[in-house]
Amino acid sequence: MKLFKFTLLAIGLGGSLVHSQGYSSECTDMSLIDSWLIGTCPTDDGTGEITSSVYLPNKIENSEGTLKWKIDGSYWSSCDDCELVDSGSTLQCYCDGTYASEDGTTTLNLETYIANYDGHLLSNLTGAITSIPTNSSYAVPTNFDVELELSSENNTCSVLGAYLTLNDPTDCYYLNLGVEYTWACGTSVDNEGWEIVGFAAEDCSGDAVATYTPSNVNTCLTFSTGVQAFSITPLWNAD
């Protein structure tokens, strides 16, 4: 899966929470969509259930043809035909090897570091879970792609210069074109649950210049200062 697709037309430039690992025995509707592990899990009091998701490329790598746990591992860039097996507890992919190892099918037990915490699928790869997020009012998207239509000229989006297709949560995304440029206005399309914040600095420092959410989809935003980079954050139940 390619996380960022860019089309350029013309630019004028406290305490830990303990939970047994074993979500597959209690969660339902397990699926893998665009590298998101999705499932509906019961809350601890048994009175409800929550649908949530975990973004696996942030937690798994392809190490010489073998899936392994690693922060920001980005296994998707060298693996294909990924699917869930064993009732959703195991990730199976066909991954590229190296000169020392052949390409082949590899599996990883997801329940080693992912569990149901009061209805939320969460990873404890970086340490014990100490708090449970609030249940979001946004549903897990059926389509994770969101498109930004941008212009480098202040023209109320009447003439567009570029299209960015995004589906990867990231603290800061800057498209390095090799030349200096800024975006002057833009609109979002097919946004089912992302918050996309534009910044004047390419490292996303400073104040936010513009914010896209599902509430202003298909609305042209004119930026008070030129935008260079974006943070991309899921608003639904996501880890």
Side-chain angles (χ1 to χ4, degrees):
M1 181 186 68
K2 188 175 182 180
L3 296 187
F4 292 108
K5 181 176 69 178
F6 172 67
T7 304
L8 179 65
L9 300 181
I11 299 180
L13 296 181
S16 63
L17 300 174
V18 179
H19 202 288
S20 62
Q21 308 290 110
Y23 63 81
S24 63
S25 64
E26 57 182 357
C27 300
T28 60
D29 299 325
M30 301 302 305
S31 62
L32 182 70
I33 302 176
D34 289 346
S35 295
W36 288 89
L37 173 69
I38 304 168
T40 300
C41 303
T43 56
D44 287 349
D45 61 11
T47 61
E49 56 185 18
I50 294 172
T51 299
S52 63
S53 60
V54 177
Y55 190 59
L56 298 181
N58 283 354
K59 300 161 178 58
I60 298 171
E61 69 168 342
N62 169 24
S63 175
E64 299 184 347
T66 300
L67 292 172
K68 293 183 178 181
W69 294 99
K70 182 182 180 182
I71 299 300
D72 296 328
S74 299
Y75 74 90
W76 55 267
S77 63
S78 57
C79 296
D80 297 303
D81 300 326
C82 295
E83 61 180 341
L84 297 179
V85 297
D86 299 331
S87 301
S89 66
T90 301
L91 176 66
Q92 176 176 287
C93 298
Y94 188 89
C95 296
D96 296 343
T98 64
Y99 65 90
S101 61
E102 296 182 353
D103 301 354
T105 299
T106 174
T107 60
L108 184 69
N109 180 9
L110 298 178
E111 293 183 323
T112 302
Y113 286 109
I114 298 175
N116 170 26
Y117 291 86
D118 198 18
H120 294 262
L121 285 172
L122 299 173
S123 168
N124 51 33
L125 179 60
T126 59
I129 301 297
T130 58
S131 63
I132 304 297
T134 302
N135 187 22
S136 174
S137 61
Y138 288 92
V140 175
T142 57
N143 177 17
F144 289 92
D145 288 350
V146 57
E147 184 173 82
L148 289 185
E149 300 179 347
L150 300 165
S151 175
S152 59
E153 298 181 1
N154 190 349
N155 56 21
T156 64
C157 303
S158 59
V159 178
L160 298 169
Y163 298 92
L164 284 177
T165 300
L166 311 170
N167 62 9
D168 174 25
T170 184
D171 292 334
C172 191
Y173 173 67
Y174 167 69
L175 180 67
N176 188 353
L177 297 176
V179 295
E180 292 187 6
Y181 71 94
T182 60
W183 305 117
C185 61
T187 186
S188 67
V189 179
D190 297 329
N191 186 356
E192 294 189 18
W194 295 97
E195 179 185 70
I196 303 172
V197 180
F199 296 88
E202 63 183 58
D203 63 355
C204 296
S205 60
D207 296 333
V209 177
T211 301
Y212 294 97
T213 68
S215 65
N216 61 8
V217 69
N218 297 320
T219 300
C220 182
L221 301 184
T222 298
F223 309 144
S224 58
T225 59
V227 165
Q228 293 193 80
F230 301 91
S231 66
I232 307 158
T233 306
L235 295 173
W236 67 91
N237 296 318
D239 180 21

